[in-house]
Amino acid sequence: MNDVAFLSSLRSVVGDAGLLTVEAEMAGYAIDWRKLFPGKPLAVVRPKTSLEVAAVVKACRAAGVTIVPQSGNTGMAGGAAPDDSGRQIVLSLSRMNTIRTVDPVGLTIEVEAGVVLAVAKQAAAEKGRFLPVSFAAEGSAMVGGVISTNAGGINVLRYGMTRTMVLGIEVVLADGTLVNGLRRLRKDNAGYDWKQLFIGSEGTLGIITAAVLRLTPQPRHATTAFVAVESPEAALALLDKAQTEIGEALSAFELISGPSIGLVEQFAGLKCPIAHADWFVLMEATSTLPGLKHAAQTLLEGAFEDCLALDGVVAESEAQTRQLWSLRENITESEARSGKSVKHDISVPLTAIPAFVAEADAALQAATPGVKLNVFGHLGDGNLHFNVLVSAEHDAGLVNRTVHDLVARYGGSISAEHGIGQYRVNELQRTRSAEELALMRQIKSALDPESGLNPGKVLPKGGSAA
Ligand code: 2HG
Ligand code: ZN
């Protein structure tokens, strides 16, 4: 089938409004937001329904055109960007943006894949319920991508990764079969829990078109504290203390390095509200019950007495809470404005974080002298964004390998929450065992034998044969 006939078969499924073929109109879909992976899609296809998604997948399969599913395009690893062959389509879920139901008693929300995460959270909040997946890009990220990447964020410590919030999904398989698993059940042990395969598989096994997510009661009280600490060791000791004193109310515990705060001061025009230090902790406790502020103040007083805290502030108002969080939320943007960076989304066993930070810093300075670090992340989850700011003279690949080799030695993961996308395909091959990689290839070839879905993401192109 020639391109004209193929495109007209797509148009007959999604209509004129659902098909973009002009380069200027496709520009926003053709590249990841970090602008690392510029692509050239043959078309951008924007279906309105799951049945249309299924029909598009069938048409692509018949024409031998591969598909790159995309929702908010906020991913960190280039997983939603097409290649530059001109032989792929971007399948954008953005027009599938209906919130189907919010059930405040059953504590569920059913949404289509193109619903923006913040919009889903707002719909839950309007019914007094909480959708706990939270991260800086939630105003653009869409639920389909959030699930396909098993996104993490700031509340994992308390609520777990996105996976733990997913009760059911609807998915279009590589051959165009539509599978409806939109059950709202808390308990469901009937056979294989197949949805887990699609969660976090970055659109390489199927296309998630809708989901039922678990909600929780909306916390009505929140306390946020920003604390300067001497070292990651001190931050870990503070986390231990917070777990003991605040326990299940602790919803976020973020570690931020002094240079990260320097970046947001320089590039986002924000001001650090307490004395400058090498490290900071931003923590939050939430509850449906009152009394948290007192507990946070007591925690902070104790931290000063134990010499764990150097300086600190507990937010006095909603506005101050927002200011404290904006320091954290602006790090990524500020890093992007500062120039080129090599990102690492690593996790190691929690208690190994201080040793890892010290060793990785030393190893990098030995291997690639002069690099600057932008280290921040979700200490409560053992997950750091160990990002390295590089200049032209630095070998980005060497930076990458130096950090990841250490991660492997610590029994960690080279992708804690961002996924593999295309950014980390080679590093996954280097850091997982032959047996694990063979198992991954078996899964890929069982569900997508022709490699029509997001080829070259997660696993190398052409590497799906077991
Ligand atoms: C965050 O924690 C995100 O803010 C982005 O995961 C991390 O920019 C990054 O490397
Ligand atoms: Zn993160």
Side-chain angles (χ1 to χ4, degrees):
M1 192 186 294
N2 65 29
D3 285 355
V4 176
F6 170 61
L7 292 175
S8 98
S9 76
L10 293 179
R11 187 170 283 111
S12 70
V13 174
V14 296
D16 284 337
L19 188 69
L20 308 178
T21 52
V22 176
E23 204 177 317
E25 287 174 354
M26 298 194 291
Y29 303 84
I31 190 165
D32 62 307
W33 76 267
R34 292 185 66 202
K35 312 241 177 294
L36 294 181
F37 304 103
K40 278 195 178 35
L42 175 61
V44 175
V45 189
R46 305 186 305 157
K48 275 290 273 178
T49 66
S50 313
L51 287 173
E52 286 185 9
V53 175
V56 168
V57 170
K58 283 185 185 147
C60 289
R61 191 177 156 100
V65 170
T66 61
I67 299 172
V68 180
Q70 187 182 95
S71 47
N73 200 13
T74 61
M76 291 282 168
D83 67 18
D84 60 5
S85 67
R87 305 310 309 157
Q88 297 196 307
I89 62 142
V90 170
L91 193 152
S92 166
L93 281 311
S94 60
R95 291 210 305 160
M96 291 187 60
N97 56 6
T98 302
I99 296 176
R100 292 179 181 165
T101 51
V102 183
D103 176 356
V105 180
L107 289 169
T108 60
I109 184 170
E110 183 175 326
V111 291
E112 292 182 350
V115 171
V116 169
L117 178 58
V119 173
K121 288 169 75 79
Q122 181 58 32
E126 279 162 16
K127 297 255 170 100
R129 298 296 176 248
F130 184 50
L131 174 55
V133 183
S134 309
F135 51 84
E138 67 190 34
S140 315
M142 293 169 192
V143 171
V146 170
I147 298 174
S148 303
T149 56
N150 185 28
I154 56 167
N155 290 147
V156 173
L157 166 72
R158 166 118 158 237
Y159 299 100
M161 302 277 282
T162 296
R163 186 184 297 284
T164 62
M165 307 311 298
V166 181
L167 296 178
I169 59 169
E170 179 189 63
V171 66
V172 173
L173 304 180
D175 66 358
T177 306
L178 180 63
V179 187
N180 185 334
L182 290 170
R183 279 178 289 272
R184 305 176 182 189
L185 308 174
R186 310 248 143 190
K187 302 181 82 171
D188 181 6
N189 263 354
Y192 299 126
D193 190 4
W194 55 263
K195 68 177 176 296
Q196 302 300 346
L197 279 174
F198 298 94
I199 302 170
S201 66
E202 305 183 52
T204 62
L205 303 179
I207 301 170
I208 295 170
T209 46
V212 179
L213 300 171
R214 194 160 65 81
L215 301 176
T216 73
Q218 173 82 40
R220 282 178 295 167
H221 305 275
T223 294
T224 303
F226 187 59
V227 186
V229 296
E230 195 171 25
S231 60
E233 283 87 346
L236 202 56
L238 184 59
L239 173 62
D240 187 24
K241 196 173 171 62
Q243 298 279 25
T244 306
E245 294 184 23
I246 301 181
E248 64 285 349
L250 192 64
S251 52
F253 198 97
E254 300 283 307
L255 181 69
I256 307 174
S257 66
S260 306
I261 293 295
L263 283 176
V264 295
E265 289 191 315
Q266 192 181 346
F267 293 98
L270 301 179
K271 208 177 145 14
C272 180
I274 58 176
H276 275 260
D278 287 345
W279 296 93
F280 297 89
V281 165
L282 180 61
M283 63 177 144
E284 181 189 75
T286 59
S287 176
T288 45
L289 301 172
L292 277 178
K293 190 147 175 231
H294 179 68
Q297 269 154 353
T298 308
L299 173 71
L300 211 55
E301 278 159 25
F304 279 119
E305 274 162 29
D306 300 349
C307 298
L308 293 178
L310 306 172
D311 195 4
V313 59
V314 176
E316 288 294 336
S317 62
E318 180 60 24
Q320 203 183 358
T321 303
R322 286 299 336 136
Q323 275 166 16
L324 293 180
W325 274 106
S326 70
L327 288 167
R328 169 67 180 83
E329 285 161 2
N330 274 283
I331 299 175
T332 296
E333 275 297 316
S334 303
E335 178 190 294
R337 284 197 203 128
S338 77
K340 197 172 168 218
S341 64
V342 182
K343 282 187 184 290
H344 304 98
D345 168 35
I346 65 98
S347 60
V348 295
L350 192 45
T351 50
I353 287 269
F356 174 84
V357 169
E359 227 186 299
D361 190 357
L364 277 172
Q365 290 309 336
T368 54
V371 291
K372 296 204 176 80
L373 300 185
N374 177 29
V375 179
F376 62 100
H378 318 288
L379 181 66
D381 312 326
N383 169 203
L384 290 183
H385 302 305
F386 202 93
N387 297 347
V388 184
L389 312 183
V390 292
S391 349
E393 77 263 24
H394 296 123
D395 175 347
L398 181 59
V399 167
N400 216 214
R401 290 190 297 278
T402 305
V403 174
H404 287 164
D405 285 350
L406 203 59
V407 167
R409 268 213 279 125
Y410 275 80
S413 171
I414 63 155
S415 179
E417 60 169 5
H418 293 166
I420 298 300
Q422 19 185 344
Y423 195 51
R424 301 195 172 90
V425 171
N426 295 337
E427 287 298 272
L428 186 73
Q429 294 293 308
R430 236 170 46 78
T431 51
R432 286 283 149 114
S433 69
E435 295 79 8
E436 279 187 280
L437 291 169
L439 189 52
M440 289 188 210
R441 286 196 300 273
Q442 275 176 25
I443 293 170
K444 173 74 175 169
S445 57
L447 286 168
D448 183 18
E450 293 179 10
S451 215
L453 295 179
N454 226 1
K457 314 292 168 48
V458 182
L459 298 172
K461 241 181 206 158
S464 70

